[in-house]
Amino acid sequence: MPLPPLNALRAFEAAARHEGFIGASDELHVTRGAISRHVRQLEDHLGVQLFVRQAKGVRLTNAGRQLLPALSEAFALIRRETDRLTADTGDLRIICPPATSIRWLIPRLEDFRRAHPDIRVRLTTDFHGHLGFDMTEFDIGFSCEHWPTRAPDIVSETLFPVYLTPACAPALLAGKPRFDTPQDLARHVLLHETSTHLDWRDWLEAFSVTGVDPASGDDFPNLDIAAKAAVMGTGIVMGDIVLCREEFEGGTLVMPLPDMVCPSPMGGISILGPRDKWHEPKVAAFRSWAATMAARDCDYLAGLNLDVTEPA
C-alpha cells in the first residue's frame, strides 16, 4: 500500500491531539471542513474508521488511538531534524588534521570567535581521507596544497609554505653518537609523523643524502606527537618550521643542519572548500581571517633568512 497523503496524516494527528476538528483547524490554519475532508481521505485510504462522528463532536476509535502515537513521534522527529538543519546553516563546519589543529588553528581560533560572535564554529580534528575533502560535511578544510584525488569543484588557497629540516633536542647534539654531517643521521633514531616515511624520504632525496635508511626509526600518528618525542630526546624528527615554531623559538628543538631546508613536495598548508560556498559570508570571513594569521607565519619564515633548496 502506498503511503497516505501527508496532509491527511497531519490533519488526523492534529485533530486527534486536540480531540476535535476545531482545535486542529486553528493549529493548521485551515477550515474545519478541510480537516474533516482530510481525515475522511485518510480513513478511505486505510479502510479503517479513525473517528466516531457524534452530534457534539468526534472521538477516536481504537484504530485512531493506535495510530496517534506513531504519527506524533514521526512528526516530532521531522520537526527536530528540520530545526537542526536550519540551525546548521549558520554554523561554519571546519575539518583540520591533528597536527595543524593543535599547532596552528586551535591556538588562534578564539581570535576568530571573538571577531565573529555570530558565526558558530564546529571544528573536527581529523584527516580528510583519500578524497581530500568531503564537501557534504564541511564548509572549510585545511590540507596540503597538492592532493591528487581532490575533486575539481574544490577550490583552495595556500596559507603558508611547509619547509622541512631535521630537528632534535639540544642535548642530542652534545651527546653520542656524534652529529656533524647528514650521513650521521644513520646513527640516530629517525622519528616519523606517519608510517609512510615520506617526510624523511623526501628530504633525503632533495639533498641526495645516501647511507641513511628513510624507513628506519619510530612511527607516530602525526607531527605533534613525533615532535614531542624529539623534545624528549628520543630521536630526530623532520620538523615543519612553522608548525614547530614554538619549539624552535623556545629552544627545546634546534636545527642541526640549518642550511639544509627544503619545501614539502605536497606543498604548503592550504585552506579549501566547495566552489559554490567559497564566497558565502561566513566562509569568506574565515578565509580572510586565516590569511591574516598566516601572513604572520610567512613574515616569521622570511625573518629566518632560510636557504631553501627547491627540489630538482
Side-chain angles (χ1 to χ4, degrees), residues 49 70 84 142:
Q49 186 176 358
R84 182 184 64 82
F142 285 77

Side-chain angles (χ1 to χ4, degrees), residues 29-224:
H29 305 289
V30 296
T31 65
R32 179 183 175 186
I35 295 293
S36 179
R37 288 192 296 274
H38 282 311
V39 171
R40 180 68 70 184
Q41 181 185 20
L42 180 60
E43 290 175 325
D44 292 343
H45 182 93
L46 297 175
V48 174
Q49 186 176 358
L50 301 173
F51 282 105
V52 174
R53 277 76 172 172
Q54 299 172 322
K56 295 184 179 181
V58 297
R59 63 178 176 84
L60 284 169
T61 64
N62 288 335
R65 282 191 291 271
Q66 290 176 5
L67 182 59
L68 175 60
L71 285 182
S72 296
E73 182 179 353
F75 283 120
L77 176 60
I78 293 171
R79 189 178 298 108
R80 285 196 302 271
E81 289 303 305
T82 53
D83 288 346
R84 182 184 64 82
L85 290 174
T86 301
D88 284 352
T89 60
D91 294 351
L92 183 65
R93 304 166 302 169
I94 302 172
I95 182 169
C96 186
T100 307
S101 284
I102 295 297
R103 292 177 167 266
W104 194 88
L105 179 57
I106 291 175
R108 296 163 173 79
L109 195 54
E110 188 58 31
D111 179 86
F112 177 80
R113 288 188 166 114
R114 285 195 300 267
H116 300 277
D118 55 318
I119 300 177
R120 186 172 69 171
V121 175
R122 294 170 53 193
L123 173 63
T124 297
T125 297
D126 201 356
F127 295 101
H128 291 273
H130 74 283
L131 293 178
F133 184 74
D134 184 350
M135 58 184 157
T136 65
E137 293 292 332
F138 302 101
D139 305 302
I140 286 288
F142 285 77
S143 185
C144 57
E145 184 177 357
H146 308 307
W147 192 275
T149 58
R150 190 170 291 149
D153 49 355
I154 299 298
V155 292
S156 66
E157 59 186 46
T158 301
L159 295 175
F160 55 86
V162 172
Y163 290 152
L164 303 175
T165 193
C168 64
L172 189 143
L173 294 182
K176 295 182 179 180
R178 292 180 58 81
F179 194 158
D180 297 319
T181 69
Q183 284 70 29
D184 291 335
L185 287 165
R187 300 188 291 173
H188 291 270
V189 177
L190 305 186
L191 308 178
H192 302 274
E193 62 173 289
T194 70
S195 60
T196 64
H197 307 144
L198 288 177
D199 49 357
W200 277 100
R201 195 181 308 276
D202 292 336
W203 184 87
L204 292 169
E205 182 177 321
F207 293 100
S208 301
V209 177
T210 59
V212 180
D213 181 6
S216 67
D218 300 336
D219 297 346
F220 296 88
N222 57 65
L223 175 62
D224 183 58

